[in-house]
Amino acid sequence: MVGTVRGGGDRIIGTERLPPYSPALNPDELVNADLEHSLPRQHRARSQAELTTETRRFFRRR
């Protein structure tokens, strides 16, 4: 805990310092980047179903 702050009434709220955001170390960001680069640039999904199909196709190829 880095510090404390008085909340409303008698409550005390603890605060914590978080590390800086690092997308290079976040596995979700790496998967998202790979997915975005694999989809054709000119083609855009016209529906949620089409987007779902293309995303599943991407993950099956991996």
Side-chain angles (χ1 to χ4, degrees):
M1 188 179 298
V2 172
T4 57
V5 177
R6 273 217 176 273
D10 294 333
R11 296 185 333 197
I12 295 178
I13 301 169
T15 61
E16 294 187 28
R17 191 165 310 277
L18 298 175
Y21 179 67
S22 180
L25 300 176
N26 185 344
D28 290 339
E29 293 292 337
L30 297 175
V31 171
N32 289 339
D34 195 22
L35 175 61
E36 287 175 9
H37 289 296
S38 73
L39 297 176
R41 295 252 182 230
Q42 284 89 16
H43 176 72
R44 293 218 167 170
R46 297 172 196 244
S47 67
Q48 183 70 36
E50 188 176 350
L51 179 61
T52 301
T53 301
E54 291 296 324
T55 303
R56 287 184 176 152
R57 184 176 297 140
F58 166 78
F59 283 113
R60 280 191 206 116
R61 287 189 299 227
R62 299 279 166 213

